[in-house]
């Protein structure tokens, strides 16, 4: 179990350094250690709250946050994340859907490069609302904040650069995690018995990662490490029965 906490700290550090709460990483780690899906979802969202808020604060104080775009995306995502949180999937389907969603950060971390500020485009209001709603629904259903899906879309559409993407994703993850947990509360929540130990470990890693990621760290190498870990987790979720 000691290795689990070491890995949890590392996942929180790495994810927060690139502006994510880390739910996909926590879910992948818990899946590898055989944690029950009904415990995985709420536990990952609680960890998301602490780590994403820490990450957001570091990017916000350095003026990377595009408030107007965040509000537009969140208009639909918050209620849809609540709706998703009320939805229950059987264990087999849950693992398969989570495995498929892990493909998004894998593609982002391996292949997506941040756009230069001169290449950025004005966001489309209606497209932003639609994207927010779709990502919010998925995030509530699976127990993620949605940043792993939103951030590659923002970069692909050239609406934000890498640090602006990190700031928006961190805030988006925070509000969707609250909303998704609210939806889960209507159905009953089962937390892992070690959850508060998880919180302390993840928060510590997230605090350190957010600071170095927003100020000093070369994020390209980190992204490749994260992607490699997620490939292993996605394979386990999609192609094994364990």
């Amino acid at each position: 179990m000691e290795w689990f906490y070491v890995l949890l700290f590392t996942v929180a550090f790495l994810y927060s350094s690139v502006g994510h709460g880390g739910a996909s990483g926590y879910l992948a780690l818990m899946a590898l250690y055989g944690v029950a899906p009904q415990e995985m979802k709420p536990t990952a969202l609680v960890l998301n709250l602490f780590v994403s808020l820490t990450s957001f604060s570091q990017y916000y104080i350095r003026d990377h946050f595009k408030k107007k775009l965040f509000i537009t995306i969140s208009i639909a995502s918050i209620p849809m994340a609540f709706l998703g949180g009320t939805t229950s999937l059987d264990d087999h389907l849950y693992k398969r859907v989570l495995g498929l969603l892990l493909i998004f950060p894998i593609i982002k971390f391996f292949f997506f490069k941040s756009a230069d500020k001169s290449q950025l485009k004005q966001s489309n209001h209606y497209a932003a609302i639609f994207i927010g709603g779709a990502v919010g629904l998925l995030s509530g259903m699976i127990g993620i904040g949605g940043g792993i899906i939103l951030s590659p879309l923002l970069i692909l559409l050239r609406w934000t650069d890498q640090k602006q993407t990190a700031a928006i994703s961190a805030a988006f993850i925070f509000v969707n995690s609250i909303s998704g947990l609210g939806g889960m509360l209507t159905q009953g929540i089962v937390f892992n018995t070690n959850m508060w130990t998880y919180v302390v470990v993840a928060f510590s890693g997230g605090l350190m990662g957010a600071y170095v990621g927003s100020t000093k760290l070369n994020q390209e190498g980190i992204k490749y490490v994260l992607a490699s870990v997620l490939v292993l987790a996605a394979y386990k979720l999609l192609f094994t029965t364990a």
Side-chain angles (χ1 to χ4, degrees):
M1 197 65 183
E2 290 80 6
W3 275 110
F4 177 88
Y5 292 119
V6 172
L7 293 171
L8 179 62
F9 179 93
T10 304
V11 167
F13 176 92
L14 294 174
Y15 268 83
S16 65
S17 71
V18 293
H20 289 294
S24 61
Y26 310 139
L27 289 170
L29 182 59
M30 285 187 280
L32 291 171
Y33 273 78
V35 178
Q38 64 267 27
E39 296 180 359
M40 288 166 59
K41 289 170 60 176
T43 301
L45 286 179
V46 169
L47 297 179
N48 249 8
L49 291 176
F50 287 89
V51 178
S52 63
L53 185 59
T54 300
S55 183
F56 170 72
S57 67
Q58 294 294 327
Y59 284 95
Y60 179 81
I61 62 177
R62 290 168 179 84
D63 201 28
H64 296 302
F65 185 54
K66 295 182 72 171
K67 181 179 178 181
K68 184 177 179 180
L69 178 56
F70 165 73
I71 291 173
T72 303
I73 293 172
S74 300
I75 287 171
S77 77
I78 293 173
M80 293 304 286
F82 183 91
L83 178 62
T86 66
T87 305
S88 296
L89 302 176
D90 70 68
D91 290 358
H92 178 78
L93 179 59
Y94 174 80
K95 289 181 178 180
R96 296 303 184 261
V97 173
L98 174 58
L100 288 172
L101 288 181
L102 290 182
I103 294 172
F104 281 87
I106 290 169
I107 292 173
K108 180 206 169 186
F109 292 146
F110 270 136
F111 302 112
F112 279 66
K113 303 295 183 183
S114 178
D116 186 85
K117 287 188 182 294
S118 63
Q119 300 175 313
L120 297 181
K121 300 178 181 178
Q122 183 66 35
S123 60
N124 180 285
H125 183 80
Y126 297 106
I129 292 175
F130 175 79
I131 289 170
V135 175
L137 180 63
L138 278 173
S139 69
M141 290 173 61
I142 304 302
I144 57 176
I148 61 167
I149 307 173
L150 177 67
S151 55
L153 292 174
L154 293 178
I155 293 174
L156 178 64
L157 293 167
R158 296 186 178 179
W159 288 353
T160 54
D161 64 24
Q162 184 166 303
K163 300 224 171 188
Q164 290 169 343
T165 299
I168 290 176
S169 292
F172 184 81
I173 289 164
F174 181 79
V175 298
N176 282 328
S177 295
I178 292 175
S179 185
L181 279 169
M184 289 178 194
L185 280 171
T186 67
Q187 306 298 306
I189 287 181
V190 179
F191 286 114
N192 187 281
T193 54
N194 297 314
M195 188 194 69
W196 291 112
T197 305
Y198 292 1
V199 167
V200 172
V201 173
F203 180 72
S204 300
L207 190 65
M208 187 178 298
Y211 173 72
V212 298
S214 62
T215 57
K216 303 176 180 181
L217 213 57
N218 182 334
Q219 297 183 341
E220 293 304 313
I222 288 177
K223 292 194 294 184
Y224 294 136
V225 172
L226 280 172
S228 299
V229 172
L230 292 178
V231 166
L232 174 63
Y235 176 82
K236 177 179 173 65
L237 290 164
L238 291 170
F239 300 112
T240 71
T241 58

